[in-house]
Amino acid sequence: MSLIPHLSDEAARPDVANVFNNARAAMGKVPNLFRVMAQAPAVLDVFWNAKGALGGGVLPASAQEQIAVAIASANGCDYCLAAHTGGARAKGVSAQDAADAQSGRASDPHVAAILTLALAVNADHGRAGAAALEQARAAGLPDAEILETVAHVAVNILTNSINNIVDTTLDFPRVARVTA
């Protein structure tokens, strides 16, 4: 059970209720993570607005989900691993690529380069700097994809951290961790 309670629909103020309604329309439910974040509406806003902005970026939705799977696995977030594995499958990612994303691998070399960068940023908070940029550019990633990858890592660190500290109640099918 979550260590911070889930906000009910009845207790949601109008702006939070709007996010809940949009989530329900997009996903068929309001995930428990949203209900936890809604205890601090500013946190829900940060997450919701960041996801909305990045959703309109240059990275395909499938790659966005694979980033989330890789970061969730690296950070030990079972909630995000479950949610984004399902999200990846819904965006057309094969079961094999969804599982491989946990280890930063993908059948598409371009996506594999994105995941390599994402895991490097997550591991050292971007301190690899020029070396990580050089490797990403050598793999064919343009600056927009590099910057969006970093932003996706940051958003996923936010959700992973919340879920890990709060122990958000899992409301997606559990996903087994893949060992490298």
Side-chain angles (χ1 to χ4, degrees), residues 149-169:
T149 298
V150 173
H152 278 284
V153 170
V155 171
N156 283 285
I157 289 171
L158 169 67
T159 58
N160 292 177
S161 298
I162 290 171
N163 288 318
N164 285 340
I165 198 166
V166 171
D167 194 22
T168 307
T169 304

Side-chain angles (χ1 to χ4, degrees), residues 82-160:
H84 291 289
T85 297
R89 299 287 289 131
K91 299 298 182 191
V93 175
S94 72
Q96 186 63 55
D97 270 345
D100 284 348
Q102 290 187 42
S103 301
R105 297 186 315 270
S107 61
D108 178 331
H110 194 78
V111 174
I114 290 168
L115 297 180
T116 296
L117 175 62
L119 288 171
V121 169
N122 186 66
D124 72 2
H125 309 286
R127 286 187 296 276
L133 271 176
E134 183 179 314
Q135 183 179 14
R137 286 180 173 149
L141 301 185
D143 290 346
E145 288 183 349
I146 291 168
L147 292 168
E148 284 188 21
T149 298
V150 173
H152 278 284
V153 170
V155 171
N156 283 285
I157 289 171
L158 169 67
T159 58
N160 292 177

Side-chain angles (χ1 to χ4, degrees), residues 21-66:
N21 289 335
N22 287 329
R24 193 176 287 111
M27 296 181 271
K29 67 178 180 179
V30 179
N32 286 338
L33 171 61
F34 289 32
R35 293 185 179 283
V36 167
M37 287 190 293
Q39 294 289 0
V43 173
L44 181 61
D45 286 346
V46 165
F47 169 75
W48 187 255
N49 291 330
K51 289 299 283 184
L54 289 169
V58 297
L59 291 177
S62 56
Q64 293 176 33
E65 293 294 342
Q66 287 169 284

